[in-house]
Amino acid sequence: MILTVTLNTALDVTYRVPRLLAHASHRVTEVTERPGGKGLNVARVLAAIGHEVTATGFAGGPTGHLVRELLASSPGVRDELVPCTGTTRRTLAVVDEASGDTTQFNEPGPLISAAEWSGFLSRYEALLTGGARAVALCGSLPPGVPVGAYATLVRAARAAGVPVLLDTSGEALRRGVAARPDVIKPNAAELAELTGSRDPLPATRDARRRGAHAVVTSLGPAGLLAATALGTWRAAPPRTLTGNPTGAGDSAVAGLLSALTEGLDWPARLTRAVALSAATVISPVAGEFDPTVYEEVRGSVAVTGSESP
């Protein structure tokens, strides 16, 4: 199975409005609620493409209870979330139907105690040795969790011989990279913050020198850039797709991890990741993708680059 970790789970609420205007009242045309946080989005996409997946992290309070209820209705996702006394956060996405743009509001998350963090570590280590073939560490850290938490989780995965992908930002990413994860997947802004360079190619290579074995950078509509020990590649969709980009990066993570566990090479991993990401933009909510668009894009992703000599 593939293990996903979402320390700062959320209830994702999506509003659709005809047009989003500042200082105005809005009539909401549609509301959807989904279990959210980056790792839970990854888990739902992995399950949808046929992988056995276990989701862990924290969930607490009435919002956490609703997240777990909704997760129970997600086929193929095993719930191993750890209870906490604080209340799981909400995230609100407002989709402007006229422009296709999305405005996001993210709450900070519950305060995690030292005892709760210790309990989570025990659960995580048991799951790593209980059949995990790969692990995704995703998203922000809730208050109370040590800033070096992802470095701790990366080292535990490596000690267990489980490939680990890290998708976070800021200081948590900087410390996590130093623990030498197998893959990191920053977007261009997160990569620039990590390396100080806004040129994606040298920044991606610099991130490898900081400890990551492979770096896959999201370039938005332009696709993905990967720097690995085996070579450097760019992968781009055949056309620009408009819609809700929330969760597109999480679908890319699902594509990368699923292809890794299947033993596919880097061009094939990037092709799947780009296709899933593009198909998620068309979907109205994160953690879902349009199967028709996925198949269409997968057959025409442009991959350039080569293996290292």
Side-chain angles (χ1 to χ4, degrees):
M1 60 88 174
I2 298 175
L3 177 64
T4 71
V5 174
T6 316
L7 296 177
N8 210 5
T9 55
L11 176 67
D12 282 350
V13 182
T14 303
Y15 287 172
R16 300 186 71 86
V17 299
R19 184 182 297 274
L20 182 62
L21 301 171
H23 314 297
S25 296
H26 297 81
R27 185 174 297 279
V28 176
T29 59
E30 182 182 358
V31 180
T32 57
E33 293 182 330
R34 295 289 188 276
K38 295 176 72 64
L40 293 188
N41 293 336
V42 172
R44 298 208 314 279
V45 173
L46 283 169
I49 60 176
H51 280 263
E52 180 185 353
V53 58
T54 295
T56 191
F58 291 106
T63 310
H65 179 72
L66 181 53
V67 165
R68 300 188 79 162
E69 280 190 344
L70 293 170
L71 193 61
S73 64
S74 299
V77 180
R78 176 185 164 199
D79 177 359
E80 285 287 349
L81 294 172
V82 176
C84 63
T85 55
T87 297
T88 295
R89 67 189 177 127
R90 295 162 299 177
T91 66
L92 176 63
V94 183
V95 180
D96 183 328
E97 294 176 333
S99 67
D101 292 336
T102 300
T103 301
Q104 190 89 10
F105 301 88
N106 298 326
E107 296 178 359
L111 177 64
I112 303 300
S113 70
E116 288 167 341
W117 173 240
S118 178
F120 169 79
L121 286 176
S122 296
R123 176 75 61 89
Y124 173 72
E125 290 170 358
L127 291 169
L128 283 176
T129 56
R133 300 178 60 200
V135 58
L137 308 175
C138 302
S140 61
L141 300 177
V145 170
V147 70
Y150 281 133
T152 299
L153 301 183
V154 168
R155 286 192 290 267
R158 292 184 58 79
V162 178
V164 56
L165 183 152
L166 176 61
D167 183 11
T168 189
S169 60
E171 184 65 12
L173 175 59
R174 188 183 71 81
R175 297 199 186 195
V177 166
R180 303 187 62 79
D182 294 273
V183 186
I184 63 170
K185 197 214 66 64
N187 61 34
E190 292 162 349
L191 183 67
E193 183 181 8
L194 175 67
T195 65
S197 172
R198 294 194 174 278
D199 187 333
L201 183 56
T204 299
R205 290 171 173 163
D206 180 30
R208 282 200 68 231
R209 288 192 292 270
R210 291 168 185 261
H213 291 270
V215 181
V216 180
T217 304
S218 297
L219 302 176
L224 299 173
L225 168 65
T228 80
L230 298 178
T232 301
W233 292 270
R234 289 180 184 263
R239 58 187 173 88
T240 299
L241 299 171
T242 60
N244 180 7
T246 306
D250 305 331
S251 291
V253 169
L256 292 170
L257 269 190
S258 61
L260 181 155
T261 61
E262 293 171 25
L264 303 184
D265 62 16
W266 272 106
R269 295 181 200 181
L270 296 171
T271 295
R272 181 178 294 180
V274 166
L276 281 172
S277 180
T280 298
V281 171
I282 297 300
S283 177
V285 294
E288 299 180 2
F289 64 93
D290 185 310
T292 300
V293 173
Y294 170 60
E295 293 298 337
E296 172 200 336
V297 173
R298 186 174 64 164
S300 50
V301 171
V303 181
T304 58
S306 62
E307 294 187 1
S308 299

